[in-house]
Amino acid sequence: MNHTEPIDIPVIAIDGPSASGKGTVAQLVADTLGFHYLDSGALYRVVAYATHQNNIDWNNATAVAACAKTLHIQFKHGEVYLNGTDISDQIRTEAMGKGASQVAVHAALRAALVDLQHSFRISPGLLADGRDMGTVIFPEAVLKIFLTASTETRAKRRYQQLLGKQQPADYEAILQDLKTRDARDKGRASAPLIMAEDAILLETDTLTITEAVHFILEKYQQKMCK
Ligand code: DC
C-alpha cells in the first residue's frame, strides 16, 4: 500500500504580523506548488465571530474554548464556512481581526484548535500561514519563513487596501491598531508571535509580492535538493 504518513508530508510555515502581505504571498506559494493552504488566522477570526454571535465575552477563556469545540469550520475554494454558512465577509472585518487577536491569547482555545490545524497536513504538502506555525503547530516544518515589514509599511498597505474596497480608512487609527495588535500577539504567554530559531527572515518593505514569492520558492527548492 502506498500510504504517506503525515510526518512525510512537507510543511512550509510562514509566520509574521498582521498586514505584512503574508496571506497573499502564502496563497501564491501554495498555488504554485499545488499545496494545501491553512489560513490559521481565519480560525481565530471564526471563533471571534461565533462567540460574538453567542454573546460570549472574548476575555472569558473557558467559554471561548468551549464554544470553539462546537464549531464546524470548513474552507472551500478560498471561502470560510461556519456550520455550513459562508461567513468569509463577516470575519474579514477590522472588528473580527481585533477580536481574533483577543481570543487568541487563551491557551485553552489554542489547544482546542491544534488537531484541526494538523488535519490540514495532506499530500502533496501544506503551506501553513499564521503566528505560531513554525514554533508550535508544525515545529518540524521543512521551511520556516518569518515574513514582516515595518509597522508604517503595513499600515500604508492596510490603508490602501481599505480605500481599494471603498471602505472608510484612517491611517493614524490603522497604525495605532496594528501597534496594539502586534503588542498583544507578541506579548501573550501562550504561543506568542516570535521568529523560530531556524526561520528565515523575509522583510518585504521594498519587495513586490512576486519577489517575495520567488524568494520562498527558491528557499524551498534549496531545502528539498539538499
Ligand atoms: O492573520 P490574521 O490577521 O487573520 O489573524 C488574526 C489574529 O488571530 C491575529 O491578530 C492573532 C491571531 N492568530 C494567532 O494567534 N495565531 C495564529 N496562528 C494565527 C492568528
Side-chain angles (χ1 to χ4, degrees), residues 87-197:
I87 55 156
S88 312
D89 290 341
Q90 289 93 316
I91 64 164
R92 295 275 164 233
T93 61
E94 292 300 295
M96 288 307 137
K98 199 171 155 190
S101 172
Q102 274 179 250
V103 295
V105 303
H106 304 311
L109 170 64
R110 304 197 73 86
L113 295 177
V114 170
D115 288 349
L116 176 59
Q117 294 177 85
H118 284 167
S119 73
F120 282 79
R121 191 171 189 174
I122 299 169
S123 190
L126 174 67
L127 192 309
D129 163 351
R131 304 291 187 289
D132 60 343
M133 298 295 99
T135 49
V136 176
I137 304 296
F138 298 109
E140 69 295 343
V142 61
L143 175 65
K144 298 179 188 179
I145 301 287
F146 193 81
L147 194 151
T148 189
S150 71
T151 325
E152 288 71 22
T153 300
R154 292 186 284 126
K156 269 182 223 152
R157 286 180 187 161
R158 175 63 49 86
Y159 177 74
Q160 296 296 346
Q161 211 177 32
L162 288 172
L163 287 186
K165 289 197 260 178
Q166 261 110 55
Q167 285 180 20
D170 173 346
Y171 175 79
E172 285 306 324
I174 293 170
L175 185 66
Q176 199 44 54
D177 197 51
L178 278 180
K179 284 182 180 168
T180 308
R181 265 174 74 179
D182 281 358
R184 196 188 294 117
D185 292 350
K186 288 178 186 169
R188 68 184 175 220
S190 180
L193 170 65
I194 42 161
M195 183 168 147
E197 269 179 26

